[in-house]
Amino acid sequence: DSLAPVSEWAQGFRADVAPHVTDARALARKLQPPRPLVLIVEDDAFAARLIGKALEQQPYDLEFAVDAPGVLALLRRRHPAVILMDINLPGMDGLSLTEWLKASPTLAYIPVMMLTGEAKRETIERSKAAGAAGFIVKPFTREVLLDRLSQVVR
């Protein structure tokens, strides 16, 4: 077969080059600037999936938590660019958790956007008083979510 030497050479070439291609891809990933982390605090699995789906094609890394202990565990490892915080959470509600975060010298700088189905004036005022950077009323559109996020993640 006249192509056998070429085929052998190609296999040898692939074997020699493949590790370098893998190394180059790993290096390229390391050199890319980190993407802003969005922490989504939502105890409703369906709502969390919808938010994640709305953000999956955006230049953000996403982490999820369902309650205050989950948020605190994550904040020991990473510091998000923004927290999307549901108000109605099991245990400590989102407003109390936001107040606690804003009282922490090491975490107060993280903007918190409140997510709620309650558009009452009292809820909005309590959110502002807790230190929230913004307020998103459920249900919301993808465009509203992206617009509000872009306002706080620069």
Side-chain angles (χ1 to χ4, degrees):
D1 186 2
S2 63
L3 293 179
V6 172
S7 179
E8 287 175 24
W9 176 86
Q11 286 177 343
F13 179 79
R14 271 190 235 113
D16 290 341
V17 170
H20 301 293
V21 170
T22 301
D23 291 345
R25 287 182 181 147
L27 180 61
R29 278 193 299 276
K30 287 181 182 178
L31 294 176
Q32 289 180 356
R35 295 168 10 134
L37 174 63
V38 176
L39 172 55
I40 301 161
V41 185
E42 174 62 70
D43 65 321
D44 181 304
F46 181 72
R49 275 196 306 276
L50 285 177
I51 295 167
K53 194 80 170 147
L55 298 177
E56 72 182 355
Q57 297 299 317
Q58 300 305 309
Y60 302 119
D61 285 336
L62 305 177
E63 289 273 358
F64 295 86
V66 297
D67 56 14
V71 169
L72 300 179
L74 187 129
L75 291 176
R76 281 195 275 289
R77 294 182 287 116
R78 299 184 72 187
H79 284 208
V82 64
I83 299 173
L84 297 177
M85 179 84 70
D86 185 21
I87 289 181
N88 296 313
L89 297 172
M92 179 185 281
D93 67 68
L95 290 169
S96 299
L97 182 53
T98 300
E99 288 171 340
W100 186 88
L101 293 171
K102 293 303 176 180
S104 168
T106 58
L107 301 171
Y109 73 93
I110 302 170
V112 178
M113 300 285 292
M114 305 309 293
L115 299 173
T116 186
E118 300 176 30
K120 297 180 205 165
R121 180 184 189 127
E122 175 191 337
T123 305
I124 295 170
E125 289 173 359
R126 285 190 60 216
S127 297
K128 288 180 183 177
F135 195 87
I136 302 174
V137 178
K138 297 179 203 175
F140 48 83
T141 64
R142 181 174 182 269
E143 290 72 27
V144 166
L145 178 62
L146 295 176
D147 180 59
R148 300 280 165 77
L149 272 177
S150 71
Q151 290 174 15
V152 294
V153 178
R154 304 213 185 277

